[in-house]
Amino acid sequence: MNRINQKLQENKKILSIYFSAGHPSLNDTVQIIQDLEKSGVDMIEIGLPFSDPLADGPTIQASSTQALHNGMTTQVLFDQLKDIRKTVAIPLVIMGYFNPMLQYGVENFCQKCAEIGIDGLIIPDLPVDVYAEEYKTTFEKYGLINVFLITPQTSDERIRFIDSVSDGFIYMVSSASVTGSQSGFGSVQENYFKRIADMNLKNPQVIGFGINNKETFNQATQFAKGAIIGSAFITNLTENGVESIGEFVGNIR
């Protein structure tokens, strides 16, 4: 069974952390992953930097730009992660845009992910219809879960289609804005969370965007299996360095 599915079966709320590979420094990637696991994080999303990250807010864009300046590429990331499963057991997901995967070759990319022990991919600009028709068999061949995003504007029909082609979790974007652009959740978001929970989808939901502390983590996980923190973690890394990871995670849990 895929590590993501195993983790989702545990009787706990999932804390997932996102960071941009190659930031703050090019060779911090493995250390950050190892320290996150030691600190009690359940799952990690490793951002593959891209020059035109449409869904990302200014904090993640800045870290992605810095990572590219530092020399991060798809191949560099794969080289950095080649021995990651010797030290890390929790699920690892690569989040990135489709263009670098196309350039690398979709099958080659998936094969490399499988070789190094990546469990899933999040590709915000790969439409679910295109995935289902053209790439699903390739992802499944290499044991990779593809995670799709839904927003408050996604129709119930679309959500049910996404649920039907998914086999892991659904990434529930808390609002229609870019990452890192809000603080706390109001009644509009809570009603959206409740609406999705009441749909009784087969895949659990993990909420992202706008989660930055213990309060918002607890608020989000009232309605979902877990929550993802990205911008707040990257800000902490930028300001306080890799050595601050344990304290950051400890303040969430």
Side-chain angles (χ1 to χ4, degrees):
M1 183 188 287
N2 187 292
R3 293 180 194 89
I4 294 171
N5 295 122
Q6 289 179 324
K7 182 60 67 175
L8 292 168
Q9 287 181 3
E10 293 181 10
N11 184 26
K12 65 185 298 192
K13 298 297 186 179
I14 301 298
L15 172 59
S16 182
I17 296 285
Y18 169 94
F19 75 100
S20 298
H23 171 270
S25 299
L26 179 63
N27 294 315
D28 284 338
T29 309
V30 171
Q31 185 70 55
I32 290 171
I33 294 170
Q34 291 171 337
D35 288 358
L36 283 170
E37 181 177 49
K38 287 173 190 168
S39 300
V41 166
D42 300 296
M43 184 162 57
I44 299 171
E45 293 173 20
I46 305 160
L48 178 59
F50 182 51
S51 56
D52 190 21
L54 300 174
D56 297 324
T59 300
I60 292 177
Q61 281 194 24
S63 67
S64 185
T65 300
Q66 182 63 54
L68 291 171
H69 285 320
N70 290 344
M72 180 52 67
T73 65
T74 303
Q75 190 57 55
V76 168
L77 178 59
F78 284 148
D79 290 344
Q80 288 182 348
L81 297 179
K82 68 183 189 301
D83 294 321
I84 196 67
R85 286 301 174 194
K86 292 180 180 176
T87 57
V88 173
I90 60 174
L92 299 176
V93 177
I94 288 180
M95 184 169 185
Y97 292 84
F98 199 44
N99 187 276
M101 298 177 194
L102 276 175
Q103 290 180 346
Y104 198 86
V106 175
E107 177 136 13
N108 290 338
F109 190 94
C110 291
Q111 182 176 4
K112 199 69 184 172
C113 285
E115 285 174 6
I116 62 180
I118 297 299
D119 303 292
L121 299 172
I122 302 173
I123 313 164
D125 59 342
L126 174 60
V128 62
D129 323 65
V130 176
Y131 167 76
E133 291 169 18
E134 298 183 31
Y135 300 110
K136 190 171 191 284
T137 52
T138 303
F139 279 55
E140 289 176 346
K141 175 182 174 183
Y142 293 103
L144 293 169
I145 286 174
N146 195 26
V147 177
F148 292 99
L149 285 72
I150 63 171
T151 75
Q153 283 67 44
T154 309
S155 69
D156 286 5
E157 181 185 16
R158 187 77 169 170
I159 290 168
R160 293 204 182 279
F161 178 61
I162 287 171
D163 191 44
S164 73
V165 300
S166 299
D167 180 30
F169 66 91
I170 292 172
Y171 189 133
M172 202 166 140
V173 177
S174 66
S175 71
S177 59
V178 296
T179 56
S181 59
Q182 63 179 62
S183 58
F185 300 118
S187 59
V188 172
Q189 272 106 7
E190 290 204 356
N191 289 336
Y192 159 59
F193 297 162
K194 289 173 187 170
R195 175 171 72 86
I196 303 303
D198 289 343
M199 290 180 73
N200 293 315
L201 303 174
K202 72 180 177 75
N203 291 279
Q205 299 89 57
V206 179
I207 296 175
F209 290 46
I211 294 147
N212 50 31
N213 55 26
K214 188 181 186 72
E215 181 187 2
T216 45
F217 176 79
N218 290 339
Q219 202 175 357
T221 54
Q222 283 180 49
F223 305 99
K225 178 63 179 175
I228 301 156
I229 297 177
S231 297
F233 177 70
I234 289 171
T235 297
N236 180 75
L237 270 185
T238 304
E239 294 176 355
N240 303 310
V242 175
E243 58 274 13
S244 67
I245 289 174
E247 183 179 0
F248 179 88
V249 176
N251 287 333
I252 305 295
R253 271 276 151 86

